[in-house]
């Protein structure tokens, strides 16, 4: 039974041990055989180069080799030109405007508030005229209530001084007195008023001089309206009793106070409301004029709002129309006030009726008459030597006279372009992803073919570049993703008819997805990236459309709707990529950071079993993982792969946990009871073969399964080998060393080699207690040197310099795990004794 187990173990080891590198052909190591390259070129050319399979020889712009006539009567429709005209009609500036009732309501409310403010201000002033117009004229009353207080006092003072010099009396005495004054002019009965005006001017001049002498920088300008007011006051004073004259002065002063209050009220209210439409003119208006003005304002406002104010019309333009509407509707003296009020409250009230505009534009597009050409039999389509125009080509193509055939010359050029693109992908793959397998290149080919196939099948929104960018960037890195998306986006439009703007936006989204996908570490992050890809595609489409189709009046649905559809398309393709990703990972045995992160979850079935069935091995695994992960980060290896591979490297020990000392927990050693080194070594070796069986059963990737045999390589199981050797020497037998070695293979990558070194050093580092850094480092280097001398690392790619760095990192991690702790005093370990001692001391 033992020999049978040994035979099976050796057979499995031989099956899993790779051939020596020198026996493998060069093309096999490339993972891209000439046949695969040829298949890629042929398939890509066949799907992308459809333009050259049925290309007309006599196409638009070429020279006709002979005169070609119409074979029969026909009416031929130019569908391409018709579609272009209809699309142009959809993008045209056809807009239906409707009146926004909310704007009208807002204008009505603001106007009512302004007119109410005017009414309240006018109510504050006294009834006008405030004295009999036989005493003071209307103009004088208007003037007196708004002059400054200084001038009003000066006017009263002049009247008083004039009365003192010329007291009331007969008219002849006044005339004689006036004639005796040097400043008086010769008077007659017709020019008495002139005499008094001359005297009044002198008095006003005296008051002005006295004011200038009494108060610095103060002056009172005397105008003709002042002279008139003084003259009217003097006339009334001389004709009436003094009490009546004082009553008039009091009424003027009261009117002045009311007027001042009204002016202040207007200024304060308008400042609070943030506009200024009223001035003193409002208070000068009669009630009849103000009432006509209000009616006129309402009339003009209704006219302006009814005919509508467009938001695209500059304000200065519709204000010109407002001035025309105001003329003749309100009194002449309030036209400026009316314009000022309406200019402040009116605003554009026309808004686009989106539904009506859309229907109108679509109707306009459908009403575009098809571009058609009516021809009769024997009519000349094109003459010899003439250049074929659009109409001639459509007719030639309709009557199958355009000589459609395979354009071999252009097809050969296209084959060269495709071959160059395939070559670029191979070169980039070898430089940035040298570990690509044949199945990886097959997946890249299938993803590349998906886009032209969808275009050929005329699937709506068929540009799958966002999905290709996300998948390739996630599987093979951003460099490969950007390269593939760029090449497809450049080569495919050469051989197929695609929408240039749509294609460009899709390519931009694919490149963004490729650049970022490599950094994603969870499906949730991938989902958020999908949103970003969709927004990128929509934004690029919007900007490109605005640049290429710079039509002034593009309607909202001519831009916003396609932009939204583009963004949605990018998001949908991202969702497709997210859904396909797990299946492609399993089907093509891919390892991605996301998948490795999922496999490293301690709740995975195998890891949960390992923690419960072999807890010692699980703890050993965690420490080895810490060592290996730190070393991988130091020398630039795939940290996620090392971490995940280490967690599964010893799962085979679950077949017999007690056969390994870390799981015996101080109990009896199973191998002491067996007491047979040949049986014991098979138990030890079996954890590799059983681990591979478990890994396949749970569909672990090959890259993870490689850690199970390669972390042991072909190392010698020294303890049982020397035990068997001692027994054989007594019987004079020879023990073959190969029977006590693992079946291998030795590490084929730096990642598995790091785990071998970490696994070899873990037990030795754990056994150290008070060793110094130097002692620990010497021991680790001794173990590594033994692995190097045993030829376990020859295929791994590790260098001596990297091994020195790894040794240093192993010791640093060990020191972090075994840092010194402060020794607690015994009293601190028994708080009850401390309390008792404290009480006794008291």
């Amino acid at each position: 039974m033992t020999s049978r187990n040994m035979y099976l173990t050796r057979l499995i080891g031989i099956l899993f041990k790779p051939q020596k590198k020198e026996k493998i052909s060069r093309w096999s190591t490339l993972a891209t055989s000439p046949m695969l390259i040829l298949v890629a070129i042929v398939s890509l050319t066949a799907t992308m180069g459809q333009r050259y399979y049925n290309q007309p020889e006599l196409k638009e712009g070429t020279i006709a080799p002979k005169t070609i006539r119409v074979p029969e009567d026909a009416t031929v429709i130019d569908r391409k030109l018709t579609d272009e005209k209809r699309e142009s009609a959809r993008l045209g500036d056809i807009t239906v405007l409707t009146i926004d009732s909310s704007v009208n309501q807002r204008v009505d409310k603001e106007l009512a508030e302004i007119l109410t403010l005017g009414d309240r201000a006018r109510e504050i002033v006294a009834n006008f005229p405030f004295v009999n117009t036989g005493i003071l004229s209307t103009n004088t009353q208007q003037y007196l209530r708004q002059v400054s207080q200084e001038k009003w006092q000066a006017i009263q003072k002049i009247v008083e001084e004039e009365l003192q010099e010329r007291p009331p009396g007969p008219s002849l005495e006044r005339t004689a007195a006036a004639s005796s004054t040097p400043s008086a002019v010769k008077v007659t009965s017709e020019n008495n008023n002139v005499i008094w005006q001359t005297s009044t001017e002198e008095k006003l001049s005296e008051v002005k001089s006295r004011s200038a002498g009494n108060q610095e920088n103060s002056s009172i300008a005397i105008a003709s309206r002042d002279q008139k007011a003084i003259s009217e006051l003097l006339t009334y004073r001389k004709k009436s009793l003094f009490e009546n004259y004082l009553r008039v002065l009091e009424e003027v002063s009261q009117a002045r106070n009311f007027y001042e209050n009204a002016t202040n009220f207007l200024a304060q209210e308008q400042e609070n409301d943030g506009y200024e439409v009223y001035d003193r003119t409002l208070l000068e208006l009669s009630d009849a004029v103000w009432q006509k003005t209000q009616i006129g304002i309402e009339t003009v406002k209704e006219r302006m709002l009814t005919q509508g104010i467009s938001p695209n019309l500059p304000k200065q333009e519709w204000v010109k129309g407002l001035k025309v509407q105001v003329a003749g509707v309100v009194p002449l003296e309030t036209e400026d006030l009316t314009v000022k009020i309406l200019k402040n409250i009116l605003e554009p009230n026309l808004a686009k009726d989106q539904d009506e505009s859309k229907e109108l534009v679509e109707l306009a597009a459908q009403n575009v008459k098809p571009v058609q050409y009516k021809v009769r039999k024997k009519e000349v389509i094109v003459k010899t030597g003439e250049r074929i125009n659009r109409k001639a080509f459509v007719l030639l193509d309709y009557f199958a006279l355009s000589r459609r055939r395979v354009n071999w010359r252009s097809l050969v050029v296209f084959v060269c372009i495709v071959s160059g693109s395939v070559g670029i992908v191979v070169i980039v793959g070898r430089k940035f992803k040298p570990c690509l397998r044949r199945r990886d290149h097959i997946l890249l080919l299938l993803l590349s073919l998906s886009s032209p196939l969808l275009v050929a099948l005329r699937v709506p929104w068929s540009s799958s570049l966002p999905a290709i960018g996300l998948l390739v960037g996630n599987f093979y890195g951003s460099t490969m993703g950007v390269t593939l998306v760029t090449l497809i986006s450049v080569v495919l439009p050469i051989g197929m008819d695609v929408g240039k703007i749509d294609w460009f936006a899709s390519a931009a989204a694919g490149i963004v997805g490729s650049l970022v996908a490599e950094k994603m570490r969870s499906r949730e992050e991938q989902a958020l990236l999908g949103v970003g890809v969709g927004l990128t595609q929509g934004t690029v489409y919007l900007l490109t459309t605005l640049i290429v189709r710079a039509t002034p009046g593009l309607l909202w649905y001519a831009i916003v709707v396609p932009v939204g559809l583009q963004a949605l398309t990018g998001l949908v393709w991202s969702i497709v990529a997210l859904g396909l990703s797990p299946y492609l990972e399993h089907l093509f045995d891919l390892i991605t950071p996301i998948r490795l992160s999922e496999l490293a979850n301690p709740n995975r079935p195998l890891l949960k079993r390992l923690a419960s069935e072999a807890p010692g091995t699980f703890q050993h695994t965690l420490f080895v993982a810490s060592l290996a992960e730190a070393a991988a980060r130091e020398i630039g290896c795939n940290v996620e792969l090392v971490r995940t591979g280490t967690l599964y490297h010893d799962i085979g020990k679950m077949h017999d946990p007690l056969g390994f000392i870390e799981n015996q927990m101080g109990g009896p050693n199973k191998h002491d009871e067996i007491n047979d080194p040949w049986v014991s070594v098979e138990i030890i070796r079996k954890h590799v073969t059983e681990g591979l069986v478990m890994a396949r059963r749970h569909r672990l990737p090959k890259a993870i399964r490689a850690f199970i045999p390669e972390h042991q390589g072909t190392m010698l199981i020294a303890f049982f080998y020397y035990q068997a050797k001692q027994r054989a020497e007594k019987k004079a037998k020879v023990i073959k060393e190969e029977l006590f070695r693992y079946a291998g293979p030795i590490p084929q990558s730096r990642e598995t080699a790091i785990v071998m070194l970490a696994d070899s050093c873990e037990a030795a580092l754990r056994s150290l207690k008070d060793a110094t850094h130097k002692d620990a480092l010497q021991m680790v280097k001794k173990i590594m040197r033994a692995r190097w001398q045993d030829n376990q690392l020859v295929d791994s790619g590790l260098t001596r310099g990297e091994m020195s760095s790894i040794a240093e990192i192993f010791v640093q991690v060990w020191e972090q795990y075994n840092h010194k702790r402060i020794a607690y005093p015994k009293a601190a370990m028994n708080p009850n004794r401390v309390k008792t001692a404290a009480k006794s001391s008291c």
Side-chain angles (χ1 to χ4, degrees):
M1 187 69 180
T2 302
S3 60
R4 182 181 299 175
N5 290 339
M6 292 175 59
Y7 176 76
L8 289 175
T9 302
R10 292 182 63 190
L11 180 60
I12 292 174
I14 294 172
L15 289 176
F16 287 103
K17 187 174 182 179
Q19 297 177 354
K20 295 182 180 180
K21 285 191 173 182
E22 57 269 16
K23 294 183 179 181
I24 301 176
S25 67
R26 183 170 179 269
W27 282 108
S28 299
T29 58
L30 285 178
T32 50
S33 65
M35 182 59 66
L36 181 58
I37 293 178
L38 181 61
V39 169
I41 294 173
V42 171
S43 59
L44 289 172
T45 303
T47 53
M48 292 185 180
Q50 297 181 11
R51 175 178 294 171
Y52 307 107
Y53 303 148
N54 192 27
Q55 197 172 59
E57 182 180 344
L58 301 179
K59 57 185 177 180
E60 187 176 357
T62 59
I63 304 298
K66 63 179 182 178
T67 300
I68 304 176
R69 298 179 181 274
V70 176
E72 59 184 10
D73 295 346
T75 300
V76 182
I77 297 177
D78 189 340
R79 301 189 181 280
K80 182 177 180 180
L81 191 56
T82 302
D83 292 341
E84 290 177 356
K85 287 190 173 184
R86 287 178 176 171
E87 184 64 23
S88 178
R90 291 188 179 94
L91 295 174
D93 188 12
I94 302 178
T95 305
V96 177
L97 298 177
T98 184
I99 293 178
D100 190 345
S101 58
S102 63
V103 174
N104 289 359
Q105 293 173 3
R106 185 163 60 248
V107 170
D108 290 340
K109 182 180 179 181
E110 292 179 3
L111 179 58
E113 292 176 354
I114 289 177
L115 295 180
T116 300
L117 175 61
D119 290 335
R120 290 171 59 190
R122 288 176 56 81
E123 289 174 359
I124 295 175
V125 300
N127 293 331
F128 189 84
F130 45 86
V131 296
N132 194 325
T133 54
I135 301 173
L136 296 175
S137 65
T138 302
N139 291 336
T140 300
Q141 291 187 50
Q142 289 178 343
Y143 178 68
L144 288 179
R145 69 176 179 177
Q146 63 179 339
V147 298
S148 65
Q149 184 65 20
E150 292 179 346
K151 184 170 286 190
W152 169 236
Q153 293 175 355
I155 290 172
Q156 294 181 69
K157 190 173 184 62
I158 292 171
V159 172
E160 292 175 0
E161 292 179 353
E162 186 68 27
L163 289 174
Q164 290 176 2
E165 295 179 4
R166 302 177 184 275
S171 177
L172 291 176
E173 295 177 3
R174 292 199 301 272
T175 303
S179 301
S180 63
T181 60
S183 60
V185 297
K186 186 176 180 180
V187 296
T188 61
S189 59
E190 288 83 9
N191 59 5
N192 276 337
N193 289 336
V194 177
I195 295 172
W196 287 113
Q197 288 177 3
T198 304
S199 302
T200 301
E201 290 177 0
E202 296 173 354
K203 296 294 183 181
L204 286 172
S205 299
E206 295 174 5
V207 173
K208 179 179 178 181
S209 300
R210 289 195 297 269
S211 299
N214 295 335
Q215 185 176 0
E216 186 178 357
N217 296 330
S218 64
S219 63
I220 301 175
I222 304 302
S224 59
R225 297 184 70 181
D226 300 321
Q227 299 170 8
K228 184 179 180 187
I230 294 171
S231 176
E232 290 181 4
L233 286 172
L234 282 172
T235 302
Y236 178 68
R237 171 66 182 89
K238 294 174 180 180
K239 291 180 179 180
S240 64
L241 297 174
F242 181 67
E243 290 80 5
N244 295 335
Y245 174 72
L246 291 178
R247 189 179 299 110
V248 170
L249 294 181
E250 183 180 353
E251 289 175 352
V252 172
S253 298
Q254 187 177 9
R256 286 174 51 76
N257 291 334
F258 288 149
Y259 188 87
E260 187 65 25
N261 292 338
T263 303
N264 294 336
F265 171 76
L266 274 178
Q268 184 64 37
E269 289 296 322
Q270 291 185 131
E271 183 180 356
N272 294 338
D273 293 336
Y275 57 81
E276 185 175 354
V277 296
Y278 291 125
D279 54 21
R280 294 174 180 266
T281 305
L282 173 69
L283 306 177
E284 305 298 334
L285 302 176
S286 64
D287 291 339
V289 172
W290 174 239
Q291 187 175 4
K292 289 181 181 179
T293 302
Q294 288 181 306
I295 296 173
I297 291 174
E298 290 284 353
T299 302
V300 176
K301 181 262 299 181
E302 289 297 331
R303 289 178 183 176
M304 294 292 292
L305 294 180
T306 301
Q307 71 183 12
I309 303 175
S310 173
N312 297 325
L313 186 65
K315 187 172 183 178
Q316 59 268 24
E317 294 299 325
W318 61 259
V319 169
K320 292 179 182 178
L322 174 62
K323 293 179 180 179
V324 175
Q325 293 281 359
V326 168
V329 179
V330 297
L332 183 62
E333 62 267 31
T334 60
E335 285 186 359
D336 291 340
L337 175 62
T338 302
V339 171
K340 189 181 294 186
I341 291 174
L342 292 176
K343 185 171 67 173
N344 276 273
I345 65 166
L346 289 177
E347 58 181 291
N349 67 332
L350 291 179
K352 289 184 180 180
D353 190 333
Q354 306 292 8
D355 295 333
E356 289 293 333
S357 298
K358 184 177 180 180
E359 292 178 5
L360 186 62
V361 169
E362 190 60 34
L363 180 62
Q366 296 302 325
N367 288 338
V368 172
K369 294 182 179 180
V371 179
Q372 57 186 13
Y373 313 114
K374 292 183 179 181
V375 290
R376 296 182 178 276
K377 186 176 181 179
K378 300 299 182 180
E379 182 179 337
V380 175
I381 298 176
V382 63
K383 295 181 180 180
T384 304
E386 286 185 349
R387 191 174 297 277
I388 299 174
N389 57 21
R390 175 67 191 171
K391 177 182 177 180
F393 170 70
V394 172
L395 293 174
L396 290 173
D397 211 36
Y398 178 80
F399 293 114
L401 300 173
S402 58
R403 302 180 185 178
R404 286 188 175 271
R405 64 188 68 180
V406 177
N407 188 342
W408 291 106
R409 183 178 179 181
S410 299
L411 188 59
V412 170
V413 173
F414 187 72
V415 169
C416 294
I417 294 174
V418 173
S419 302
S421 301
V422 172
I424 291 174
V425 172
V426 172
I427 293 172
V428 171
R430 292 192 64 185
K431 182 174 182 59
F432 295 96
K433 283 288 180 180
C435 57
L436 288 181
R437 307 156 298 173
R438 186 169 300 174
R439 66 179 62 188
D440 296 322
H441 285 94
I442 292 174
L443 177 58
L444 291 174
L445 176 59
L446 293 176
L447 291 175
S448 301
L449 289 172
S450 65
S451 197
L453 287 174
L454 291 173
V455 174
L457 295 174
R458 300 185 183 278
V459 177
W461 312 105
S462 56
S463 180
S464 59
L465 293 179
I468 295 174
L470 286 170
L471 291 173
V472 177
N474 186 32
F475 294 160
Y476 305 113
S478 59
T479 304
M480 181 63 75
V482 171
T483 301
L484 193 65
V485 170
T486 302
L487 290 173
I488 295 174
S489 60
V490 171
V491 175
L492 191 144
I494 297 176
M496 305 184 75
D497 291 325
V498 293
K500 298 299 188 295
I501 298 178
D502 300 356
W503 192 256
F504 180 72
S506 180
I511 291 174
V512 170
S514 302
L515 290 172
V516 184
E518 186 180 19
K519 302 175 183 178
M520 299 297 99
R521 292 296 182 268
S522 68
R523 306 291 178 188
E524 181 182 4
E525 291 180 352
Q526 275 192 333
L528 292 176
L529 175 59
V531 176
V533 167
L535 292 176
T536 299
Q537 185 164 340
T539 303
V540 172
Y541 180 86
L542 173 62
L543 296 177
T544 308
T545 302
L546 293 177
I547 294 172
V548 176
R549 300 174 180 173
T551 303
L554 286 176
L555 297 176
W556 71 273
Y557 50 82
I559 291 295
V560 175
V561 172
V563 167
L565 289 175
Q566 287 289 334
L568 182 61
T569 300
L571 177 61
V572 169
W573 279 118
S574 302
I575 295 173
V576 171
L578 183 62
L580 287 176
S581 182
Y583 299 102
L584 294 177
E585 288 171 359
H586 284 283
L587 183 61
F588 289 89
D589 193 33
L590 300 170
I591 55 167
T592 63
I594 294 176
R595 191 180 184 193
L596 291 173
S597 177
E598 293 172 347
L599 290 173
N601 189 333
N603 290 318
R604 300 285 295 190
L606 272 178
L607 297 182
K608 288 182 68 174
R609 280 187 56 196
L610 182 64
S612 60
E613 297 178 15
T617 299
F618 186 71
Q619 294 301 320
H620 154 79
T621 297
L622 294 181
F623 187 48
V624 172
S626 300
L627 295 172
E629 184 177 349
R633 186 176 292 107
E634 175 68 19
I635 65 174
C637 292
N638 190 332
V639 177
E640 290 88 354
L641 177 60
V642 169
R643 180 195 305 121
T644 308
T646 307
L647 291 176
Y648 289 93
H649 80 285
D650 268 347
I651 56 175
K653 290 183 179 180
M654 287 188 291
H655 84 284
D656 190 357
L658 295 179
F660 301 89
I661 192 169
E662 66 265 21
N663 297 310
Q664 293 171 4
M665 304 301 179
N669 191 330
K670 181 177 181 178
H671 296 284
D672 293 340
E673 298 175 359
I674 294 175
N675 197 24
D676 187 341
W678 284 271
V679 175
S680 295
V681 80
E682 288 306 316
I683 293 175
I684 300 300
R685 287 160 55 106
K686 196 174 182 180
H687 89 274
V688 173
T689 55
E690 288 295 325
L692 289 171
V693 172
M694 294 179 186
R696 288 193 191 89
R697 187 181 303 140
H698 287 81
R699 298 191 299 278
L700 294 181
K702 282 187 177 180
I704 301 299
R705 299 203 301 263
F707 283 85
I708 296 174
E710 291 180 19
H711 87 278
Q712 296 291 0
T714 58
M715 288 193 304
L716 179 68
I717 307 175
F719 181 84
F720 295 112
Y721 169 71
Y722 288 113
Q723 190 180 73
K725 191 174 181 180
Q726 289 175 357
R727 294 187 181 187
E729 288 176 352
K730 295 178 181 179
K731 299 179 181 180
K733 293 182 178 181
V734 178
I735 301 297
K736 292 183 178 181
E737 187 177 294
E738 291 78 7
L739 297 178
F740 288 85
R741 284 185 177 273
Y742 287 99
I746 61 177
Q748 301 297 303
S749 66
R750 296 197 301 168
E751 285 78 9
T752 55
I754 288 173
V755 176
M756 169 184 275
L757 298 176
D759 187 68
S760 301
C761 296
E762 182 269 344
L765 287 172
R766 279 184 178 272
S767 65
L768 297 177
K769 296 300 180 182
D770 297 324
T772 63
H773 178 90
K774 183 177 180 180
D775 294 337
L777 185 61
Q778 286 180 349
M779 184 192 67
V780 169
K781 287 184 176 181
K782 181 179 179 181
I783 295 173
M784 290 185 176
R785 191 180 305 110
R787 298 293 175 265
W788 182 274
Q789 294 172 351
D790 196 25
N791 295 323
Q792 298 296 315
L793 304 174
V794 293
D795 293 341
S796 66
L798 281 180
T799 64
R800 288 183 177 272
E802 289 175 336
M803 291 182 66
S804 298
S805 300
I806 292 172
E808 188 67 36
I809 290 296
F810 282 175
V811 175
Q812 291 179 12
V813 174
W814 167 75
E815 289 175 336
Q816 293 170 4
Y817 270 80
N818 293 275
H819 60 276
K820 295 183 178 180
R821 295 174 175 83
I822 298 175
Y824 284 88
K826 294 182 179 180
M829 304 300 293
N830 192 346
N832 293 328
R833 290 185 59 186
V834 174
K835 292 180 180 178
T836 304
K839 290 180 181 178
S840 62
S841 64
C842 294

